[in-house]
Structures are given as structure tokens and as C-alpha cells.
Amino acid sequence: MSDKIAYSVNRSSAAEIAAHLLRADAAFEPALSSRVDIRAYAQKLHDRAVRFEAWLGEELVGLVASYCNQPDGGKAFVTSVSVWPECQGQGNAAWLMRQCIEHVRGLGFGQMELEVDQRSLPAVALYQKLGFNTLRSRGSTLTMGKTIGR
């Protein structure tokens, strides 16, 4: 894709999030649709998460969504990281994750966590590169965390 990616925060509608997740579904390990109702999940992300977005024209091609709703500001949770397959390998996920980390740090949170399937080697490598460490594992799911300071 030769067009320029534009980045934003919380621009997307629930329908745009759902369309993005449906197109990115097969890139999840296992497929996102095997774990959640994508339309309901998209609505939840729209209503409750802070969303860092990559746009190619009017298409939402990358999304990092984080819940920052612990009243004490202790731990934020990254609930979704997705980039369309044709936009992967261009640094979009890393850029979106860095923006999310800085936002969460600015809100005064001390920790971030996320879950990832350990078979998703590129995702695990990205999170490690960004300073996340494995906290625990359950089956094929790793919980990874990062101290971000206050």
C-alpha cells in the first residue's frame, strides 16, 4: 500500500471498528470471531476503550484499544491490537502501541498488561521489543506486562 497512513485517537465508529476487526479476523491467533461476537466487541471498544487508530483514506487499517478504567490508576489493559495483513510489517502496530503507552503513562498508570497467544510469534516479539515481559501463562495464552512508571 503506497498511500500514507494517518493516525488518530477515538475517531472510529462502532461500525468501522467491526468492519476493521472482521477484515483482520484471520490474522488473530486463534481467529477473533471464534472467541467473541465481533459486532458486540466493537461496540464495547467504541464505548469503553481508548482507541489508537491507523487510517488509510477512510479505511481503519490498524487499531490498539486499551481500558484505562481502574479508579486508582494502577493498571491499564490493552484489549486489542490489530493491523490489516496488507498493512503489517510497516511499523503501524509498534507506532500505535507506543502512543497507547505514552497516553497511559500520562494518565498516571503504573502498569500495562495484555494477553497474547504464544503461537503468535510476531506479536510476542513486538511486545517484548516494547518492554513487555511474560507475567504468567495459561494454556497457549501469555499475560504480558510492562511497568510504565507514574
Side-chain angles (χ1 to χ4, degrees):
M1 304 213 126
S2 60
D3 293 332
K4 184 158 173 62
I5 299 286
Y7 298 100
S8 66
V9 178
N10 293 339
R11 170 181 153 191
S12 58
S13 68
E16 289 168 323
I17 296 168
H20 165 77
L21 293 174
L22 285 166
R23 185 147 174 200
D25 186 39
F28 284 91
E29 181 64 47
L32 184 62
S33 61
S34 73
R35 297 178 279 146
V36 299
D37 175 313
I38 288 181
R39 294 194 195 301
Y41 183 55
Q43 187 66 55
K44 183 178 177 184
L45 293 179
H46 180 267
D47 294 345
R48 298 183 185 166
V50 178
R51 301 175 319 279
F52 300 86
E53 305 162 346
W55 293 85
L56 185 59
E58 294 302 312
E59 301 283 344
L60 179 61
V61 300
L63 176 70
V64 169
S66 179
Y67 296 124
C68 303
N69 52 8
Q70 281 195 353
D72 64 358
K75 184 177 3 178
F77 186 79
V78 177
T79 185
S80 184
V81 178
S82 54
V83 175
W84 283 2
E86 58 269 32
C87 296
Q88 291 177 1
Q90 301 171 22
N92 291 307
W95 195 93
L96 293 168
M97 280 295 295
R98 285 186 192 102
Q99 296 309 302
C100 182
I101 291 166
E102 288 308 311
H103 175 78
V104 168
R105 181 180 285 126
L107 292 176
F109 285 82
Q111 297 281 331
M112 288 183 80
E113 286 187 7
L114 55 82
E115 291 182 346
V116 61
D117 191 292
Q118 65 186 354
R119 296 170 292 187
S120 183
L121 300 178
V124 172
L126 169 66
Y127 304 141
Q128 289 173 334
K129 182 179 173 183
L130 293 170
F132 285 81
N133 297 302
T134 300
L135 302 175
R136 58 191 166 278
S137 64
R138 187 185 56 189
S140 65
T141 301
L142 298 178
T143 300
M144 299 182 78
K146 174 179 178 69
T147 299
I148 57 173
R150 290 182 185 241

